[in-house]
Amino acid sequence: MISARRGYRWGLSFSLILLLLQPMLVAAAPLAERQVLENGLTLLVRSSRALPIVTIRVTVQAGSLWEQKGRAGLANLTALLLTRGTATRTAAQLDESVDFIGASLSSSADRDLSELDLTVLKKDLPKGLELLTDVLRHPAFEQGEIARKVQELKAALRKRQEDPGEVAHEAFNDLVFGSHPYGRPLEGTDTTLATITRDEIVRFHRDHYTPERTFVTVVGDIDRSEITNQIRALLGSWPKGNGTVARATEPTPLQEKIVVKRIDRNVAQANIVLGHQGIRRDNPDFYALTVMNYILGGGGFSSRLVERIREQKGWAYDVSSQFSPGLERGSFRVVLQTKNETAGPAVQEVVRELRRIREQGVTDQELADAKAYLTGSFPLRLDTNAKLAGLISSVEYYKLGLDYADRYRSLIDGVSKEDILRVARTYLNPEGYVLVVVADQAKAALSE
């Protein structure tokens, strides 16, 4: 429990942070200067000269959505191998070069995209850019590195099976999305990882890592003309792709019924995930859903689910809900851990709260509190170069507009109680959902 004094201090500190950051929000329009180079590469630049540091995020349309059926893990494996050697540098030489200039360079993949991240001192930017463009354009995909990375991923997958929470989420994704890429592990499976070949990795990189599919976001001690010249010198000759790529579209809708999956484990705490498919990121109801979800289960200790299940019932330390929108419909899920013996009653309370917000909507005070938090905390998403680069990249990738920071407050403030009621009734379904419970099933005694 958080003591009253500690909560007061946290609240005071939080308020001071928000006060100090308000000028940043006011000055946030547009978030970045945008231009498209001759080869289709999109460059976004945000000058921030507080520190002599530059952060660069390269975002590529190469997430698991672009994997073919049976090739789960290909996008992630390709991204992870970018920094494991190039045509002219071994993995060890790359690591040594990055360490020598005190930079950080990493790569990753997600369901919608893949990314490269570089943070470097301004004085070492030319060297950092040289390394970044080398791994982006000329990865070696050496067979020994592929084998090592596959073994690491397999070990991580086995380790994950020991975590009941991970097991619950994996089963939930499978039931909600089926064979759609959103339904399978980003890392793939033992079976798919064993069959992905070097030729497939090379082909995936060739077809998807192309300039017209790439967004480069630069934030830090730099101005537009300075970085444009350097990016054009390094990536201006990068030819456009000439292959045709396709991605998975929307997942098959769930049937209107309740699906329950019980997974028996010798655990003291039941891990529960309940939900269904949600929305795409470009859904205009995103902001009303953001406010509604904050009140329902996204608002930490102030949410209805926490108030009911933690504070009143004392059944769980943490319970939350969230929408995960993407290029396609993501998920809506409620997540909690509770004693095996209270798993059934806790699930009933979750469903009860879903029905309540659909039937009764929210109060004026709940709506005002949610808006105050969501708009007041927004500047915290802009207080470091890395956060700024991440936000700008997302805004560009999901086509939200570079005036997003200025519009966010009005989008949230424009949500009404009627909007909350409408989206709750449209996007929450207490009569048709997937429920996964990883627990000692003999003790959990879930009702049929």
Side-chain angles (χ1 to χ4, degrees):
M1 294 287 291
I2 298 176
S3 68
R5 176 172 295 184
R6 184 181 170 195
Y8 170 76
R9 288 175 176 169
W10 184 90
L12 181 60
S13 299
F14 182 73
S15 299
L16 288 172
I17 290 171
L18 294 186
L19 183 64
L20 290 170
L21 289 171
Q22 286 302 317
M24 187 182 296
L25 178 60
V26 172
L31 279 168
E33 297 180 87
R34 180 183 186 276
Q35 62 180 314
V36 180
L37 304 188
E38 292 76 7
N39 59 1
L41 183 143
T42 300
L43 176 61
L44 300 126
V45 181
R46 167 75 176 232
S47 181
S48 176
R49 298 186 179 278
L51 295 170
I53 297 173
V54 178
T55 296
I56 301 176
R57 171 161 295 183
V58 179
T59 306
V60 186
Q61 294 173 327
S64 62
L65 271 181
W66 281 267
E67 294 172 345
Q68 299 302 304
K69 189 176 181 180
R71 313 322 288 160
L74 177 58
N76 183 59
L77 187 56
T78 302
L80 294 179
L81 287 166
L82 293 177
T83 57
R84 304 320 302 154
T86 70
T88 55
R89 294 179 172 93
T90 66
Q93 289 171 332
L94 268 175
D95 292 341
E96 184 178 350
S97 297
V98 171
D99 289 345
F100 185 75
I101 59 175
S104 65
L105 177 63
S106 62
S107 56
S108 61
D110 202 337
R111 55 186 190 172
D112 286 355
L113 51 86
S114 291
E115 292 177 336
L116 272 166
D117 287 289
L118 170 72
T119 296
V120 64
L121 290 171
K122 169 67 180 295
K123 68 182 182 64
D124 295 315
L125 181 59
K127 184 63 176 179
L129 281 172
E130 177 194 329
L131 296 170
L132 178 72
T133 55
D134 194 24
V135 302
L136 176 64
R137 292 197 56 191
H138 308 296
F141 299 125
E142 194 270 325
Q143 192 62 55
E145 292 292 342
I146 294 174
R148 273 189 284 277
K149 189 57 68 180
V150 166
Q151 290 307 311
E152 290 176 12
L153 290 169
K154 286 183 174 180
L157 289 171
R158 287 193 293 273
K159 185 72 175 176
R160 185 184 300 175
Q161 292 305 307
E162 299 173 7
D163 183 334
E166 294 285 352
V167 171
H169 283 290
E170 188 173 310
F172 176 84
N173 290 336
D174 179 52
L175 289 169
V176 170
F177 295 107
S179 61
H180 190 273
Y182 284 3
R184 60 201 191 210
L186 180 70
E187 298 82 357
T189 65
D190 273 2
T191 302
T192 60
L193 285 172
T195 58
I196 292 173
T197 66
R198 180 180 183 277
D199 285 347
E200 288 177 307
I201 296 169
V202 170
R203 191 161 54 245
F204 188 87
H205 177 266
R206 182 198 65 198
D207 293 342
H208 296 82
Y209 285 71
T210 57
E212 74 279 11
R213 300 172 59 81
T214 300
F215 308 83
V216 178
T217 302
V218 185
V219 178
D221 188 11
I222 197 79
D223 61 39
R224 177 180 173 179
S225 60
E226 185 180 2
I227 191 64
T228 299
N229 291 336
Q230 295 183 61
I231 293 292
R232 181 171 275 120
L234 291 165
L235 295 175
S237 62
W238 190 8
K240 288 185 177 181
N242 48 23
T244 301
V245 297
R247 68 169 176 85
T249 55
E250 60 182 31
T252 303
L254 289 175
Q255 295 183 6
E256 184 77 10
K257 63 179 183 180
I258 297 172
V259 176
V260 180
K261 185 175 182 65
R262 301 173 176 83
I263 299 175
D264 194 25
R265 291 290 176 89
N266 182 22
V267 292
Q269 291 275 316
N271 282 260
I272 299 169
V273 184
L274 183 153
H276 44 66
Q277 290 180 12
I279 61 167
R280 291 166 48 120
R281 181 59 184 87
D282 60 1
N283 189 315
D285 285 332
F286 172 83
Y287 303 96
L289 280 169
T290 297
V291 178
M292 186 277 291
N293 183 64
Y294 180 89
I295 296 168
L296 173 66
F301 291 108
S302 64
S303 76
R304 287 186 176 187
L305 288 173
V306 168
E307 173 62 23
R308 183 67 177 169
I309 295 175
R310 171 192 156 103
E311 301 299 333
Q312 295 183 17
K313 297 294 185 179
W315 288 339
Y317 179 77
D318 189 26
V319 52
S320 63
S321 65
Q322 66 176 33
F323 283 85
S324 301
L327 288 173
E328 298 299 337
R329 282 196 307 273
S331 66
F332 162 74
R333 67 183 73 193
V334 176
V335 180
L336 72 150
Q337 298 83 42
T338 185
K339 291 180 180 178
N340 289 311
E341 292 79 2
T342 51
V347 169
Q348 292 174 10
E349 287 301 325
V350 169
V351 175
R352 177 179 173 276
E353 288 300 330
L354 296 182
R355 288 183 177 137
R356 183 162 78 98
I357 202 167
R358 275 173 51 97
E359 294 166 0
Q360 302 175 14
V362 298
T363 67
D364 290 331
Q365 189 61 54
E366 286 177 320
L367 182 59
D369 290 346
K371 288 181 178 180
Y373 176 82
L374 291 168
T375 56
S377 63
F378 187 83
L380 296 178
R381 298 164 65 180
L382 312 173
D383 62 353
T384 69
N385 285 355
K387 289 181 182 179
L388 262 171
L391 178 65
I392 293 167
S393 300
S394 294
V395 163
E396 178 67 17
Y397 197 76
Y398 293 107
K399 298 181 173 56
L400 306 181
L402 290 173
D403 59 347
Y404 179 76
D406 282 345
R407 289 188 298 109
Y408 184 79
R409 174 178 287 277
S410 61
L411 290 167
I412 294 298
D413 282 343
V415 175
S416 66
K417 287 171 63 178
E418 291 72 24
D419 292 328
I420 298 290
L421 192 59
R422 176 180 58 78
V423 297
R425 291 175 174 174
T426 303
Y427 300 105
L428 297 180
N429 189 355
E431 313 307 327
Y433 57 81
V434 168
L435 168 65
V436 176
V437 180
V438 180
D440 184 332
Q441 299 295 337
K443 297 178 179 176
L446 290 166
S447 59
E448 295 298 328

